Amino acid sequence: MSTIVPYYRTIQTLLQSRAFGIDEYQREYKWEEKEINELISDLQEKFLSCYTPGDSTTRVAEYEDYFLGSIIVSKRGTKHFLVDGQQRVTSLTLLLIYLYRTAKKDGVQVVERIAPLIFSDNFGERAFNLDILERRAVLDALFKGVPFDPVGKEESIQTMYARYADIEEADLKGELGEGFVHFIYWLLAKVGLIEISTDNDAYAYSIFETMNDRGKPLSPVDMLKAYLLAPIEDNERRKQANQTWKKEVLELISAGGEQEQERDANCIKAWFRAQYADSIRERKAKSKDKDWELLSSAFHRWTRDNHERIGLNSEAANFKFVTEHFPFFAKAYKLIAHASEVYTPGLESIYYNHHNGFTWQSTVLLAPLEVTDDDATVRRKLAITATYIDIWLMRRVVNYVRVAYNHVSYAMYLLCKEIRRKPVNELAELLSEKLVADEIDFGGYEQKGRYGILGLGLNQFSKRYVYHLLARLTRHVEVGSDRPDRFPEYVDRTSASPFDIEHILPAKMEQNEVAFGTEQEYLETRDMIGALLLLPADVNRSLQDKPYALKLPAYAQQNLFAASLAGQTYSNQPRFTAFLGSSGSALHAYDRFGREELDERTAAITQLVEQIWSVGRIRKIVQ
């Protein structure tokens, strides 16, 4: 007889030497950067509310538990198939691989507790507990820390590789310091979920349908709606408010972007944080959550507790909030989501920030909006604020300053408060002044011991940002020379031959025509920004490790940023040379490429970067 049994599982008991699979018809692993960052942020915040520096690891047993929800499992033989929960189990596996590798590097004992949660020993061969055939290669590469190329692979593989990079960038080790080992013990023993297990597939899928259909509990969005509509006693007005709410929610969950079931909630979180959050959890152990955190986890309860502050103190106020405020902010949120995915004239910076993976963008962009703003004013405020973020963000990443979700949460909270409901001119002036006063710029950041563009090279942290910067440089030169704006094409990873980063210098020093000192110095030099280009993948592959002189004719046929290395470009492209004259650009052609040429080109790139990310862009929007 088939049984259905619920178990409470800690992370350790859930994953310890157990094999999980998924059926072929299940959807791909789809978590985006926002979801992985929110998981890490929630875990980190809960842990820090319990941890006190100086605690022994045995004190972790007294820390509070943390609940991650439920999963549904169908058991077939020795394998457990995830009917519901593969997104969380996959994400936890990626997090555990990061913790394992980091702990192993530090030589701490807890690494022995992590390993069996990732893989089992199958007669001398490693068998990953997340046992999905097509995903084994990426898991193996991530576990070993060896190179892996996700381009052209299945969506799940590309997503897993990208989310692991997000986990690394979150830098839990750096954030938690001496509490890192305590966090690992806490995660394994005190974080858990409910596993609903059966040995009957039909039962498993029946449970899944019931939990996600007839038995689905009210969501925070539903509870917020009920609270807002309850004081509206007039039947017609209540009906109108209800119809407005349903229409806006339907439009939100039908648009592109995040997972459908969360898009309406994400809109409300962003709106409320942007417009109403006046406090944030103190950055020390055992601090309590404040507005900023509560609006992420329970905005419906926060609204009930803070209704006077929002102005929800009468039937008329509630009616207006539902029928005017919600549609206004939902429309703005949808515009931001659209401009994040579709390159939109006047809102290009939103697209740029989205490509850079900046997950706080929707929240910050809603902060300066006023419900009385017309469409033109909304677009100008969005453009001004997105341009500020673009400049602020790029200044930091070229100086190796982390900008992941957790690292900038406090800064974004402060920024929202500063720009909240500001008029256009005041907003532009405020943000321009902040950039002028910013201690971090493209010239460098002393605190990091790095020196801006001059010190920017290709590495695990910087790769995505170097790619973005090269695409922007290429766009700037091309558009300045009256060519079409092809930025979306440069960053499209789904095309048949996506653009890749090209090293001007070949991989081995002996293949180069110019000496560069030691082999190590040469390898570091070829990764510097002045020695990099963007080329289509097929062109990149065809060049491989040819010497510079043999690559030059191919560069001359590509985008103008690459072609600027070739002398014929300066005689055959009059609009390009006109751009050089009007912009004062120092781009130059080279017959050979050595240290002197690299330094000259890096200086020219620095000049272009200052133009592209000029503070003057903000002021132009309001002229």
Side-chain angles (χ1 to χ4, degrees), residues 541-601:
R541 285 192 295 268
S542 71
L543 297 176
Q544 295 183 344
D545 279 331
K546 292 179 181 178
Y548 174 74
L550 296 181
K551 292 181 177 184
L552 204 52
Y555 291 164
Q557 304 303 313
Q558 298 302 313
N559 61 76
L560 286 174
F561 183 65
S564 66
L565 288 164
Q568 65 201 72
T569 306
Y570 296 80
S571 56
N572 298 339
Q573 300 287 346
R575 292 185 178 180
F576 169 64
T577 54
F579 161 73
L580 296 181
S582 62
S583 66
S585 173
L587 286 174
H588 201 278
Y590 301 105
D591 294 327
R592 65 169 217 159
F593 203 80
R595 169 66 68 181
E596 181 180 343
E597 291 77 16
L598 171 64
D599 291 344
E600 285 184 5
R601 188 166 176 85

Side-chain angles (χ1 to χ4, degrees), residues 2-3 74-75 198-205:
S2 299
T3 58
S74 177
K75 186 176 180 181
T198 178
D199 57 2
N200 185 301
D201 283 357
Y203 283 8
Y205 283 94

Side-chain angles (χ1 to χ4, degrees), residues 505-574:
L505 299 171
K508 295 182 180 178
M509 187 167 67
E510 57 266 27
Q511 295 171 311
N512 198 49
E513 301 109 325
V514 184
F516 267 86
T518 67
E519 183 76 21
Q520 183 61 35
E521 288 172 338
Y522 177 78
L523 292 175
E524 291 175 358
T525 299
R526 76 184 292 268
D527 278 336
M528 300 307 289
I529 189 65
L532 304 173
L533 304 169
L534 277 192
L535 294 179
D538 54 356
V539 177
N540 200 337
R541 285 192 295 268
S542 71
L543 297 176
Q544 295 183 344
D545 279 331
K546 292 179 181 178
Y548 174 74
L550 296 181
K551 292 181 177 184
L552 204 52
Y555 291 164
Q557 304 303 313
Q558 298 302 313
N559 61 76
L560 286 174
F561 183 65
S564 66
L565 288 164
Q568 65 201 72
T569 306
Y570 296 80
S571 56
N572 298 339
Q573 300 287 346

Side-chain angles (χ1 to χ4, degrees), residues 40 58 67 117 154 167 187 276 312 362 434 459 525 545:
I40 293 171
T58 57
F67 182 58
L117 312 186
E154 292 184 1
I167 292 170
L187 177 73
Y276 304 117
L312 299 174
S362 295
K434 283 177 67 66
N459 56 40
T525 299
D545 279 331

